[in-house]
Amino acid sequence: MATMSTVYLNEKFLPADQACVPVLDRGFIFGDGVYEVIPAYGGRLFRLNKHLQRLQNSLDAVRIPNPMDTEDWQIMLNALVEKNNGGDQSLYLQVTRGSAQRDHALPKNPQPTVFAMSNPLKPLAADIIESGVSAITLDDIRWQRCHIKAISLLPNILLRQEALDQGAAEAILIRDGFATEGAASNLFAVIDGVLCTPPTGPFLLPGITRDLILELAAANNIVHREQRISREDLQQADEIWLTSSTKEILPVTQLDNTRVNNGQPGPLFKSMLALYQDYKQQLRNA
């Protein structure tokens, strides 16, 4: 029988099957909360300060007080990694506004609910590195504050499922003729030899992995640019990538049932993947 993973809930570590929240928690009633996903490599948390800053930005945007300071978050998350046997993990943490009588008005003096869990983080499959994945473009039906990492993800879920129903791995979202991001990922495209990604703003989440790729590009003299990417740009791109904390860098080799360039992961993807793996290894060895 598999050992039940350890989770954190409101100042306690306990087995996942024993963790419960009240039915009046606003996260359950309204989807009133925010979240973060943080990888750990070799038991070491990946760019933790940047993840915690993004968490703070989301909490401020939805007016939930941060229930923990930076040091407390660090202690708790590192303890969770250790209790789940270290190694490579994906940590999910969630903060809701807590329990209150159901009312759209924000409760005064909320007591936030804090939950965190960990799952093994598996490397990108070799066949994906060799062959890439398929994606489709869909209209971006989400709200206008996508820079907030909110737990109310029903539009993203429906968009991603539509992609899966069509045999694709991800949906690339189009708003007013321009790509924003994937349903659960950031977007890069190599256009005329330049690595491009849509600029941050209210219509996409500022990704921690996205930012690292831009840093690695700058450090290694890879020409890169933040710019708007049209549907037509995607159709003519030399390479398309999807990035996230858990996917890392995913090459898209088919878009809307048409091959991207020659239908194989491109040379810049392979170069960036190597740089990214080196960065991870340095973290493991730190």
Side-chain angles (χ1 to χ4, degrees), residues 95-259:
V95 181
T96 76
R97 207 176 303 272
S99 295
Q101 290 298 312
R102 188 182 185 281
D103 189 330
H104 285 67
L106 300 182
K108 296 180 179 179
N109 303 314
Q111 300 298 310
T113 295
V114 180
F115 170 71
M117 64 179 177
S118 175
N119 289 296
L121 183 59
K122 298 179 181 180
L124 196 61
D127 62 325
I128 291 178
I129 294 174
E130 290 299 319
S131 302
V133 299
S134 174
I136 62 172
T137 54
L138 293 173
D139 289 340
D140 192 343
I141 60 172
R142 304 169 304 163
W143 69 330
Q144 297 187 25
R145 303 189 73 187
C146 297
H147 63 292
I148 300 171
K149 203 166 176 66
I151 64 174
S152 45
L153 289 172
L154 185 57
N156 301 66
I157 289 168
L158 294 174
L159 289 161
R160 176 81 187 286
Q161 188 58 48
E162 186 169 345
L164 295 174
D165 290 345
Q166 295 189 37
E170 178 64 301
I172 295 175
L173 309 182
I174 307 293
R175 190 187 294 252
D176 298 328
F178 291 91
T180 53
E181 58 186 346
S185 55
N186 285 115
L187 172 69
F188 283 83
V190 179
I191 302 169
D192 296 328
V194 178
L195 180 62
C196 302
T197 191
T200 55
F203 296 134
L204 63 95
L205 185 72
I208 306 301
T209 300
R210 168 193 180 277
D211 291 349
L212 174 57
I213 288 172
L214 292 175
E215 291 175 24
L216 291 173
N220 291 276
N221 299 315
I222 295 171
V223 181
H224 60 284
R225 183 182 304 140
E226 292 184 78
Q227 68 172 47
R228 296 208 297 175
I229 299 173
S230 69
R231 188 192 299 270
E232 292 72 24
D233 290 333
L234 286 177
Q235 292 169 345
Q236 299 170 19
D238 297 322
E239 301 183 32
I240 298 173
W241 311 344
L242 300 169
T243 66
S244 73
S245 293
T246 52
K247 293 184 181 72
E248 297 181 355
I249 312 171
L250 198 61
V252 175
T253 51
Q254 182 171 283
L255 181 67
D256 293 331
N257 297 314
T258 300
R259 289 192 310 178

Side-chain angles (χ1 to χ4, degrees), residues 36-49:
E36 274 293 322
V37 178
I38 307 173
Y41 297 107
R44 292 176 170 82
L45 293 163
F46 174 83
R47 296 168 77 87
L48 177 60
N49 287 339

Side-chain angles (χ1 to χ4, degrees), residues 35 54 75 111 170 182 275:
Y35 74 102
R54 187 171 65 176
I75 292 170
Q111 300 298 310
E170 178 64 301
L275 293 170

Side-chain angles (χ1 to χ4, degrees), residues 28-77:
F28 176 67
I29 296 293
F30 288 120
D32 185 0
V34 300
Y35 74 102
E36 274 293 322
V37 178
I38 307 173
Y41 297 107
R44 292 176 170 82
L45 293 163
F46 174 83
R47 296 168 77 87
L48 177 60
N49 287 339
K50 292 186 180 295
H51 280 283
L52 292 180
Q53 183 59 60
R54 187 171 65 176
L55 174 66
Q56 185 66 61
N57 294 344
S58 294
L59 289 168
D60 290 344
V62 300
R63 298 164 63 180
I64 295 176
N66 195 330
M68 300 167 71
D69 62 23
T70 297
E71 183 178 3
D72 288 338
W73 279 115
Q74 291 175 336
I75 292 170
M76 183 274 283
L77 292 169

Side-chain angles (χ1 to χ4, degrees), residues 41 44-46 278-286:
Y41 297 107
R44 292 176 170 82
L45 293 163
F46 174 83
D278 286 346
Y279 184 94
K280 286 166 51 181
Q281 195 57 46
Q282 291 174 22
L283 180 61
R284 290 190 181 101
N285 296 336

